[in-house]
Amino acid sequence: MSTLTIRSLRKNFGAVEVLKGIDLEAQNGEFIALVGPSGCGKSTLLAMIAGLESVTSGEIRIDGRLVNSVAPKDRDIAMVFQSYALYPTMTVRENITFGMESRRVPKPQQDEAVKRVAAFLQIEPLLGRKPGQLSGGQRQRVAMGRALVRDPKLFLFDEPLSNLDAKLRVDMRTEIKKLHNRVGKTTVYVTHDQVEAMTLASRIAVMHQGEVQQFDEPATIYNRPANMFVAGFMGSPAMNFLPAELSQEGGRPSVALQSADGKTASLPIVQALASDTPRQLILGIRPEHIYRFDPDLARRKPGIAQIDAVVELVEPTGAETMAVLRLGGKEITGRFDPDGTPRMGETVTLGIDMARACLFDPTTQRLI
Amino acid sequence: MSNHDLILSVPAPARPWRERLGSAMPLLVLGPSLVASFVYVFVFTGWTLYISLSNSSLLPTYGFVGLDNYASLWANRRWNIAYNNLFLFSGFYIVGSMAVGLLLAILIDQRVRGEAAWRTIFLYPLAVSFIVTGTVWSWLYNPVDGIQALVRGFGWTSFSFALASDRHYAIYAVIITGVWQASGFAMALFLAGLRSVDQDLIKAAQIDGASTFRIYRKVLLPTIAPIFLAVAVIQIQFAIKTFDLVAALTKGGPGISTTFPAIYVYDLMFQRGQIGEGAAAAIMMLAALAVVLVPYSFWVVWRRRKEAGHG
């Protein structure tokens, strides 16, 4: 049983305000991902939870206990660092027991714990080696072993996968997910990789410029981003933003866009709009919600709107093909099945899934 | 005939002289210093070795006398004192400067205010030559107008501080001066080492519940162990060729109590015209250095191989 509660937390480095009132909470056993671009304050926030950075104002509670001025060692946390931070002169076994050694845990108990963790992470053959003799993935495991052996209240991960190569990163991501499912500890995980956040977390806090932009479940973050920053940050390729004007088309609200042939196409809006909706809007469409139009599709999916666009560039990735399209004077990216790939220079009729589109207020950048 | 052969069979066009000069340039530039290093290090070392086995006196002569020079060298009490002093001085000088340097480095590593100023102050003795250091410290040790006179001037009239003028303790005066001069250098290297350690290690150790003392002892100092060795090796060659410090500080005295091998060699060769025995003494100094440096260089090579092996 362990929870984390953060209330209006602030952090200043001199005159620079790095965190501007953070509110977060993690239920028992939850996996919280802090995600954001570099410099958004996510690592500082993690360091503050760990007690490695002081708190300027606000409060951090672990299991309801205020820990603002509690030393890191007394917070009952374990942390996995981006650089792994394995003690280079100690063997893997000594690395794992260093914390227990510092806390004067009796020797037999230490051996027991090492045996348990080594079996759990399958690192028994590595126990006698030094970190310099391990591969990146093995070091990662040992770093997790050192965290696990303590059986802490809270697990903190600081971009643990960013030093690994692409393939290993995907493997270790799966490992971390499995590990969390088995251990079920409350975890805070910092990453700049939105895919990691989406795949691992039970809830994601998207951070930008020292503020939490949105704190919600992955599906909500992805489908109903609170603002244009979240919409643009989560998802790859990024969501397309098109300035559009609100109009009425046959009694239903719609947005007008410049089509490829110079005419104005109007796309009906599916969602209900409030009466004070501004006339100028930003239409947000994810690349995977852009299709090549065909009548069959329109029958299957209600809310498909037609519009013509010119294909400017085609980028095949194998599993799918990205196409850069010119629409309404802007470039947008569409994600297509390789079989139905549009050709460069072609004018295609697109079917846009308006039921999945997001509308943003251009002044506040918030979701409407 | 494979493709490879085809390419080789095309006659190479005559290379313009400019290009040839260009490729020979590194050799041309390095050549003089390579030749000079080779002559000064290996040829002269060999020559010294040869002279040490000869009956040379005022000028080199080449009558072979075997190990006679060595025998007479080791029969000399002054040489024995010098050789003893060398080991006493080297030991204390290296350990002392490393201990003081490490202490200073750890203190400065605590993010003290005005760090750059402290660093400069402690490093400054290194910028002063041994002659100046020796001269200044000889004034400080001088009972008539040095530290003793100063403290007596404050009113403590029975105060006695005559380290350099006592023949049992004069060697320690040399050691203290040497440590003063060298510990700033050790500090700079240790501090650079401490600062190059991944800061995450310290954070990890803090979370692991280790005290500051334990973090230094178990994590930081073992991590910078190679720097200890580097400092020791650099200091040892300073120690063995110690000449100017002693020459300026005590001139080998009182009596012969702070004679060093380098002083002894100088004496034999240029004052007393015993080049053969002087060369033998110089070879003994080389032997003292080799005892330390040869294993060290083997160790360095071994380590490099081992690291390369692990990729």
Side-chain angles (χ1 to χ4, degrees):
Chain A
M1 180 48 204
S2 52
T3 61
L4 171 71
T5 317
I6 294 171
R7 288 272 166 268
S8 49
L9 190 71
R10 285 171 188 279
K11 175 73 186 175
N12 293 0
F13 286 121
V16 186
E17 200 170 27
V18 183
L19 295 179
K20 305 165 182 168
I22 303 287
D23 290 294
L24 271 186
E25 41 118 30
Q27 302 297 329
N28 186 33
E30 238 192 326
F31 196 116
I32 303 289
L34 304 179
V35 63
S38 7
C40 71
K42 55 190 192 297
S43 288
T44 308
L45 176 56
L46 194 75
M48 286 167 82
I49 296 171
L52 300 168
E53 289 283 356
S54 63
V55 174
T56 304
S57 73
E59 53 185 46
I60 302 173
R61 288 176 185 277
I62 296 174
D63 259 356
R65 178 171 78 120
L66 187 69
V67 294
N68 278 17
S69 49
V70 175
K73 64 186 169 80
D74 300 321
R75 292 194 183 196
D76 205 1
I77 51 165
M79 187 155 167
V80 177
F81 292 84
Q82 179 177 1
S83 60
Y84 317 128
L86 298 177
Y87 310 123
T89 54
M90 301 183 202
T91 61
V92 168
R93 177 187 294 278
E94 287 162 343
N95 262 284
I96 293 174
T97 55
F98 183 76
M100 292 187 286
E101 207 62 72
S102 301
R103 286 161 212 279
R104 304 220 161 76
V105 174
K107 198 85 185 143
Q109 221 168 309
Q110 285 185 20
D111 292 341
E112 187 77 15
V114 171
K115 205 180 284 176
R116 174 175 57 84
V117 167
F120 189 77
L121 291 169
Q122 293 158 7
I123 51 172
E124 293 113 321
L126 309 179
L127 285 176
R129 294 206 210 160
K130 297 263 175 79
Q133 301 166 312
L134 303 178
S135 70
Q138 290 170 330
R139 282 180 213 185
Q140 180 65 60
R141 274 166 196 276
V142 174
M144 288 201 285
R146 191 172 64 179
L148 270 173
V149 78
R150 296 253 331 276
D151 193 26
K153 283 204 175 102
L154 214 57
F155 265 133
L156 306 176
F157 287 88
D158 189 6
E159 308 209 21
L161 303 184
S162 41
N163 283 359
L164 300 176
D165 62 58
K167 190 178 179 311
L168 198 53
R169 193 179 308 165
V170 175
D171 294 346
M172 289 310 290
R173 199 171 71 201
T174 316
E175 293 267 329
I176 292 180
K177 183 140 193 166
K178 279 188 199 155
L179 182 87
H180 181 254
N181 287 342
R182 281 160 74 190
V183 181
K185 283 275 176 223
T186 313
T187 302
V188 182
Y189 186 101
V190 166
T191 176
H192 62 263
D193 181 351
Q194 39 98 15
V195 180
E196 270 173 39
M198 289 291 293
T199 48
L200 290 170
S202 57
R203 275 196 289 175
I204 300 174
V206 183
M207 293 183 64
H208 183 46
Q209 293 178 341
E211 284 171 340
V212 173
Q213 303 289 325
Q214 189 172 11
F215 179 44
D216 219 319
E217 284 163 18
T220 315
I221 298 258
Y222 193 75
N223 296 322
R224 302 297 297 160
N227 56 38
M228 285 175 68
F229 174 79
V230 177
F233 189 77
M234 303 300 286
S236 174
M239 184 184 264
N240 299 296
F241 296 117
L242 289 165
E245 197 171 332
L246 191 65
S247 62
Q248 293 289 322
E249 176 81 14
R252 289 184 56 196
S254 60
V255 288
L257 277 180
Q258 284 263 309
S259 181
D261 50 13
K263 286 187 216 141
T264 307
S266 82
L267 314 175
I269 291 171
V270 177
Q271 54 185 287
L273 290 178
S275 55
D276 59 347
T277 308
R279 287 193 54 78
Q280 299 293 331
L281 293 171
I282 304 277
L283 177 65
I285 311 157
R286 290 212 179 269
E288 64 267 35
H289 298 143
I290 297 174
Y291 306 89
R292 190 187 261 279
F293 182 81
D294 74 82
D296 228 26
L297 180 78
R299 264 198 300 281
R300 272 191 290 118
K301 284 185 189 257
I304 291 281
Q306 277 184 62
I307 193 163
D308 288 347
V310 179
V311 181
E312 300 228 311
L313 196 69
V314 178
E315 298 173 323
T317 65
E320 59 207 6
T321 300
M322 308 299 166
V324 179
L325 310 151
R326 182 156 287 277
L327 184 64
K330 284 201 73 171
E331 282 186 352
I332 64 166
T333 307
R335 181 181 273 180
F336 296 91
D337 192 84
D339 296 336
T341 304
R343 285 186 313 280
M344 228 161 98
E346 185 190 6
T347 304
V348 284
T349 306
L350 301 176
I352 294 176
D353 190 349
M354 289 302 284
R356 308 294 296 272
C358 298
L359 294 172
F360 299 97
D361 184 329
T363 48
T364 62
Q365 304 221 325
R366 292 193 166 283
L367 185 73
I368 295 169
Chain B
M1 204 162 154
S2 69
N3 276 342
H4 197 66
D5 293 333
L6 266 176
I7 293 166
L8 286 180
S9 63
V10 176
R15 287 200 297 161
W17 66 272
R18 221 172 237 289
E19 203 175 301
R20 251 187 273 180
L21 181 72
S23 59
M25 193 53 93
L27 210 63
L28 281 177
V29 173
L30 285 177
S33 54
L34 282 178
V35 170
S37 318
F38 180 78
V39 169
Y40 279 101
V41 176
F42 293 100
V43 175
F44 285 170
T45 304
W47 196 27
T48 308
L49 181 65
Y50 185 77
I51 286 182
S52 77
L53 303 172
S54 75
N55 59 357
S56 307
S57 54
L58 198 58
L59 288 169
T61 49
Y62 298 103
F64 187 73
V65 293
L67 294 174
D68 282 4
N69 285 325
Y70 291 89
S72 88
L73 181 70
W74 283 105
N76 188 318
R77 187 165 152 264
R78 183 152 172 244
W79 169 256
N80 281 294
I81 288 179
Y83 217 64
N84 265 343
N85 277 347
L86 178 65
F87 285 97
L88 193 66
F89 176 77
S90 302
F92 278 105
Y93 169 77
I94 292 161
V95 172
S97 64
M98 280 171 67
V100 174
L102 183 62
L103 184 71
L104 290 175
I106 289 176
L107 291 178
I108 289 180
D109 193 34
Q110 308 308 308
R111 311 273 161 196
V112 291
R113 207 172 295 172
E115 185 193 308
W118 291 114
R119 256 193 340 234
T120 313
I121 290 172
F122 292 127
L123 196 54
Y124 215 80
L126 199 70
V128 178
S129 75
F130 275 119
I131 293 285
V132 174
T133 305
T135 310
V136 171
W137 279 81
S138 75
W139 295 336
L140 292 177
Y141 287 130
N142 188 326
V144 181
D145 45 25
I147 294 173
Q148 180 175 310
L150 180 78
V151 175
R152 285 193 181 174
F154 288 147
W156 184 0
T157 49
S158 61
F159 179 78
S160 163
F161 183 75
L163 212 53
S165 352
D166 185 314
R167 72 187 167 88
H168 295 296
Y169 298 110
I171 184 68
Y172 297 100
V174 179
I175 289 168
I176 289 171
T177 312
V179 168
W180 176 83
Q181 168 113 5
S183 40
F185 169 71
M187 173 215 71
L189 288 196
F190 284 134
L191 187 61
L194 289 173
R195 288 290 159 82
S196 70
V197 173
D198 179 6
Q199 292 298 303
D200 282 353
L201 282 183
I202 302 169
K203 293 179 188 170
Q206 281 174 352
I207 291 176
D208 266 342
S211 61
T212 306
F213 178 72
R214 192 171 149 82
I215 292 175
Y216 272 103
R217 196 170 64 91
K218 288 284 191 177
V219 180
L220 291 176
L221 297 187
T223 307
I224 63 166
I227 292 184
F228 280 81
L229 205 65
V231 172
V233 168
I234 295 170
Q235 306 283 44
I236 214 163
Q237 53 95 20
F238 272 123
I240 288 176
K241 65 185 193 194
T242 301
F243 174 79
D244 33 11
L245 178 67
V246 184
L249 186 64
T250 61
K251 298 179 182 60
I256 54 168
S257 61
T258 58
T259 303
F260 273 73
I263 289 186
Y264 191 68
V265 170
Y266 176 82
D267 236 32
L268 283 175
M269 285 193 169
F270 304 109
Q271 307 283 335
R272 295 203 227 158
Q274 296 178 5
I275 290 192
E277 203 176 320
I283 293 295
M284 289 320 298
M285 283 175 68
L286 180 69
L289 203 56
V291 162
V292 180
L293 290 189
V294 169
Y296 171 71
S297 38
F298 275 121
W299 180 79
V300 167
V301 170
W302 173 77
R303 223 173 80 114
R304 204 167 289 154
R305 286 243 180 90
K306 198 176 133 198
E307 264 162 27
H310 282 294

